Amino acid sequence: MERNSQPRQPEKPAPKKAESKRGADSASKSQDLLQQKRDNERSDSLEESIKYWQGHDKISPVLEDNHRTLTEVMGLGSSFDIVFREMSFAGRRAALLCISGFAKDTIIDEILKRLTYLTPDNLSTDVFASFMSEYIPHVQVEKGELLSESINKVLSGMSVFFIEGETQVIIMDTRSYPSRSPDEPTIERVVRGARDGFTETLLSNIALVRRRIRDPGLKLEMHQIGRRTRTDVCLAYIDDIVDKTQVQAVTDKLKSVNLDGIPLADKQLEEAIVGGGWNPYPLVRYSERPDIVASHLLEGRVVVFVDTSPSVMVLPTTFFDLCQHAEENRQTPFMGSYLRWVRFLGIFASMFLLPLWMLMVLHPELKPPMLDFIGPQKSANLPLIAQFLIVELGVDLLRMAAVHTPTPLGSAMGLIAAILVGDIAVQTGLFVNEVVLYMAVASIGMFATPSYELGLANRIVRLGLLLAVAAFGIPGFMIGTTLLVVLLTTHRSYNSPYMWPFIPFNAKAMAEILLRQPVLSSKTRPSFNKTRDNTRMAPVKEDEHKS
């Protein structure tokens, strides 16, 4: 009875559970709507993505709004290397946005250390101007007014400083890219000369060229290619030498590139701005040597640097430019001319030696009496054209294997290829000795070609001539050679003749191609470049001439 007389306590937790359940449902619904909005985004550019999330491309004066937008656009919070450090200086909230892998810690530490000493009395009414001009101890500082511009700067390695209540940001260049030392290029080696070469860092490559050309007329225009990669591309030229029409043409091409990115750097950019289609011959010259690039700039060429690429594009170019090497200019004019002729003979052999030998074997009446020894002394089990095709494929396999083989195993691979494959193939009767010999000479000529791209193109021409000779004999060789000359003649590098100075013929320029001229003899620049200033040497004044 006493137990039943006690009043019952009301159940209070029930409303709290209902409220928490409604709150959880609301939060879940909000997350679902947010995820649906993320899934529906179809932005083609950074600007469109920012406008999709906040309706405009301006910087919000509220840090939380900027934080939310950066979370959706940059992946803030999900990407571990993106840093958004919120702090307070002189009573004003601020935030630093950077990528940890690009930011140089020492510079940022010095900036933040200086700002920690500020008090509200140090700041004027214009807080942004105070931070910008007085209290950030850094050289390369600029202001940004668009959020997309600020994010692009961060993605390129800079740091952005947000201030609560301001619609502008401070952009600081605190970049420190991973880079290697400028070692000697592996392709363009010289016996005597500079040992520095380009690296994968754009700024260091430009500095190597600036060191050699201390001319205020050297212009460096920066562009960004690719909607996603935003790859830095620098267009370099000497303003008072280069043809401005050519510069404008290259600039227009760079601005018209509409790709999501060029992760393979210069080669993809070459196909985008130069073209060429299925033509095997290169339209630009690649170089990894700063001295070569500097000499081309002084001749009036246009040079294109691409970030993350250790090679530089020089355009326009000619067939004979691709046949020259820096070593020729490091020797005396006589020895330089000799080396150039040896190189020309190697390039000629890489293209025509095998087709000519096969033509004389198939048509012995073409051989002069002094060349009666040419030809296989014994037959093999395979026809000549099959032997050539197999050996061509074998050389290509060896070349690719040498690229992918670790250096300590390279010599062992060479011994296997030379002794086991070559010698045993001849002894078993598959090949004749002359095929292996002439193929080796042609391969040496291909490897002696200064331009790697030109060497590969000449190899394709050699294969085509071999097939033409095997199929049609003398007419095949004549027609194939004629088509090659027509192809090279009609080939143009940025509206410039590819076979200049041979076609159209320029006697003086052709003499400088065949013979390495002394420095003081080359008083004018090549007319091929249509330079504004054609003189290499300043005219002698009358007073100096009299003295």
Side-chain angles (χ1 to χ4, degrees):
M1 294 295 293
E2 293 179 357
R3 187 172 49 192
N4 294 334
S5 63
Q6 293 180 356
R8 299 179 63 183
Q9 298 293 332
E11 296 181 0
K12 295 181 179 180
K16 292 184 178 180
K17 290 182 179 180
E19 290 178 3
S20 62
K21 183 177 181 181
R22 284 195 298 268
D25 293 341
S26 177
S28 176
K29 186 176 181 181
S30 177
Q31 288 294 330
D32 293 340
L33 291 176
L34 181 61
Q35 186 60 42
Q36 185 179 2
K37 187 176 181 180
R38 291 171 179 168
D39 296 338
N40 292 334
E41 183 181 0
R42 296 293 185 270
S43 302
D44 291 331
S45 64
L46 177 61
E47 294 82 357
E48 292 181 8
S49 180
I50 293 174
K51 292 178 181 179
Y52 177 80
W53 285 103
Q54 68 176 21
H56 56 81
D57 194 15
K58 297 180 181 179
I59 296 170
S60 174
V62 182
L63 284 181
E64 285 76 7
D65 295 341
N66 294 322
H67 188 278
R68 282 194 296 268
T69 304
L70 293 173
T71 300
E72 301 299 336
V73 175
M74 289 189 68
L76 187 63
S78 58
S79 297
F80 75 93
D81 61 336
I82 298 178
V83 179
F84 190 79
R85 177 74 164 86
E86 297 187 36
M87 296 160 283
S88 179
F89 301 109
R92 297 297 296 266
R93 290 184 61 201
L96 181 70
L97 177 65
C98 64
I99 294 180
S100 58
F102 291 156
K104 196 168 186 178
D105 297 339
T106 55
I107 297 177
I108 294 179
D109 289 343
E110 288 296 327
I111 294 174
L112 297 181
K113 187 186 299 182
R114 174 70 177 86
L115 295 178
T116 54
Y117 296 129
L118 293 181
T119 63
D121 297 334
N122 297 129
L123 300 180
S124 62
T125 55
D126 192 348
V127 178
F128 184 84
S130 299
F131 276 98
M132 180 83 175
S133 59
E134 298 180 30
Y135 299 119
I136 293 185
H138 192 53
V139 178
Q140 295 176 307
V141 177
E142 58 181 304
K143 66 179 180 179
E145 298 179 349
L146 299 177
L147 188 57
S148 60
E149 174 189 359
S150 304
I151 293 177
N152 281 327
K153 296 289 187 181
V154 170
L155 294 175
S156 67
M158 298 186 182
S159 300
V160 173
F161 194 73
F162 293 84
I163 304 174
E164 179 78 20
E166 301 292 336
T167 58
Q168 295 177 325
V169 295
I170 301 175
I171 302 173
M172 302 170 292
D173 191 353
T174 58
R175 287 177 289 190
S176 179
Y177 291 143
S179 61
R180 58 182 176 89
S181 60
D183 300 324
E184 184 179 8
T186 56
I187 297 179
E188 299 174 288
R189 290 179 177 271
V190 293
V191 176
R192 189 180 303 278
R195 294 291 188 266
D196 55 347
F198 291 130
T199 65
E200 290 77 17
T201 306
L202 178 66
L203 293 177
S204 62
N205 293 343
I206 293 175
L208 290 174
V209 177
R210 275 283 190 190
R211 184 182 179 186
R212 289 168 168 82
I213 303 180
R214 302 177 182 178
D215 187 353
L218 177 60
K219 304 298 182 182
L220 301 167
E221 298 179 0
M222 189 66 72
H223 303 270
Q224 286 189 331
I225 306 298
R227 296 191 305 271
R228 296 184 181 274
T229 60
R230 309 289 294 182
T231 306
D232 290 328
V233 175
C234 178
L235 186 67
Y237 58 89
I238 299 181
D239 187 63
D240 55 339
I241 296 179
V242 74
D243 180 17
K244 286 300 187 66
T245 304
Q246 191 175 86
V247 174
Q248 188 61 43
V250 178
T251 303
D252 294 341
K253 284 285 189 178
L254 289 175
K255 292 181 179 179
S256 65
V257 175
N258 186 17
L259 296 172
D260 60 347
I262 48 173
L264 300 182
D266 47 7
K267 187 57 185 176
Q268 285 183 317
L269 183 64
E270 176 202 343
E271 295 183 11
I273 67 175
V274 180
W278 293 95
N279 195 321
Y281 279 92
L283 288 172
V284 301
R285 178 177 181 177
Y286 288 99
S287 179
E288 298 181 9
R289 297 188 61 88
D291 50 357
I292 295 297
V293 172
S295 64
H296 280 299
L297 285 170
L298 291 173
E299 288 183 354
R301 308 289 176 97
V302 177
V303 174
V304 180
F305 296 84
V306 183
D307 194 22
T308 71
S309 174
S311 57
V312 170
M313 286 192 293
V314 180
L315 49 93
T317 190
T318 66
F319 180 86
F320 296 100
D321 281 338
L322 299 172
C323 297
Q324 298 182 23
H325 193 269
E327 181 65 27
E328 300 160 4
N329 296 301
R330 296 289 182 177
Q331 306 297 330
T332 61
F334 182 86
M335 293 308 302
S337 300
Y338 168 75
L339 295 176
R340 185 171 296 182
W341 271 98
V342 171
R343 203 177 306 278
F344 284 158
L345 289 176
I347 295 173
F348 180 85
S350 68
M351 298 173 65
F352 298 106
L353 179 62
L354 295 184
L356 284 175
W357 180 82
M358 185 173 178
L359 187 64
M360 291 183 181
V361 171
L362 297 178
H363 299 275
E365 67 275 8
L366 296 177
K367 291 188 295 184
M370 59 183 301
L371 298 179
D372 285 338
F373 61 91
I374 292 180
Q377 304 301 323
K378 60 180 181 179
S379 61
N381 297 326
L382 296 176
L384 283 179
I385 186 62
Q387 296 179 43
F388 278 124
L389 293 179
I390 293 175
V391 173
E392 286 276 6
L393 293 177
V395 170
D396 276 343
L397 285 175
L398 288 175
R399 178 177 56 83
M400 289 187 286
V403 173
H404 303 301
T405 302
T407 303
L409 303 178
S411 58
M413 188 199 68
L415 290 174
I416 293 174
I419 299 177
L420 297 182
V421 178
D423 187 53
I424 295 178
V426 172
Q427 293 181 5
T428 56
L430 293 178
F431 299 148
V432 295
N433 291 323
E434 286 86 346
V435 169
V436 178
L437 171 64
Y438 294 127
M439 187 64 220
V441 174
S443 298
I444 293 173
M446 183 184 72
F447 295 140
T449 306
S451 172
Y452 180 70
E453 294 79 13
L454 181 63
L456 293 179
N458 290 340
R459 177 196 168 281
I460 294 297
V461 169
R462 181 174 71 237
L463 275 175
L465 290 177
L466 282 172
L467 293 175
V469 170
F472 305 105
I474 298 176
F477 180 80
M478 299 300 296
I479 294 174
T481 304
T482 304
L483 290 177
L484 172 63
V485 175
V486 171
L487 171 68
L488 295 178
T489 303
T490 56
H491 212 40
R492 301 187 74 81
S493 174
Y494 257 89
N495 203 29
S496 300
Y498 196 64
M499 289 298 290
W500 185 90
F502 183 64
I503 301 174
F505 187 73
N506 186 319
K508 181 180 178 181
M510 195 66 195
E512 293 184 355
I513 292 293
L514 298 177
L515 301 174
R516 210 280 275 176
Q517 301 293 322
V519 174
L520 297 180
S521 299
S522 301
K523 298 182 179 180
T524 59
R525 296 184 175 88
S527 59
F528 165 79
N529 299 319
K530 304 180 182 64
T531 54
R532 300 169 64 195
D533 181 6
N534 196 36
T535 58
R536 292 181 184 268
M537 303 174 63
V540 181
K541 298 181 180 179
E542 294 184 1
D543 297 339
E544 295 178 357
H545 184 70
K546 290 179 181 179
S547 63

